[in-house]
Amino acid sequence: MENLSLIDNEFLRQFEAEKGKEKIILEYVRQERKIFLTKLKFNDELISDSELNIFLGAVFNKIREYRLRIVPTSPEVAKFFRKNKNTYKDLIPIGISI
């Protein structure tokens, strides 16, 4: 997972990465200048916390490139944001607290 190949599958509205035959998927809804990160899917027996953190970091960095704001509605994404608040605080819209 260190050589993460992040895919933004706009058709299915999800970010994807693969580890062997396993996938990490983060579904989203895009509205104007915001992206709602709604559902994270992965096999927690085969994907470690550190691999998940690498994936979410890559997603947040991609969203920064898109110049969008993040609204994390998935509990796992909100937890990642809280742990990395200083790095990604510029991505949260004004008035939203996590």
Side-chain angles (χ1 to χ4, degrees):
M1 189 70 45
E2 291 170 6
N3 296 324
L4 179 76
S5 179
L6 182 69
I7 298 167
D8 180 0
N9 187 333
E10 292 182 35
F11 180 73
L12 294 176
R13 293 181 305 223
Q14 62 189 26
F15 291 102
E16 306 169 352
E18 290 185 8
K19 177 190 174 190
K21 294 182 180 181
E22 292 299 315
K23 270 191 177 182
I24 302 176
I25 296 172
L26 179 56
E27 296 176 358
Y28 64 80
V29 176
R30 204 168 172 169
Q31 294 179 354
E32 294 184 26
R33 289 177 270 171
K34 293 182 194 134
I35 188 164
F36 294 77
L37 303 177
T38 57
K39 189 173 186 180
L40 184 62
K41 299 180 197 175
F42 66 100
N43 184 335
D44 60 354
E45 293 177 8
L46 299 174
I47 305 294
S48 70
D49 286 345
S50 63
E51 291 168 327
L52 187 60
N53 287 334
I54 290 168
F55 170 75
L56 290 173
V59 168
F60 277 44
N61 290 330
K62 180 59 78 177
I63 292 169
R64 183 177 276 142
E65 288 175 22
Y66 293 160
R67 299 179 187 257
L68 297 172
R69 301 287 183 202
I70 294 173
V71 181
T73 58
S74 163
E76 297 94 346
V77 176
K79 180 181 173 183
F80 173 81
F81 175 77
R82 282 191 295 274
K83 287 188 341 190
N84 298 282
K85 190 178 257 184
N86 291 332
T87 305
Y88 299 111
K89 65 184 171 188
D90 62 307
L91 295 177
I92 299 297
I94 295 172
I96 293 190
S97 63
I98 297 175

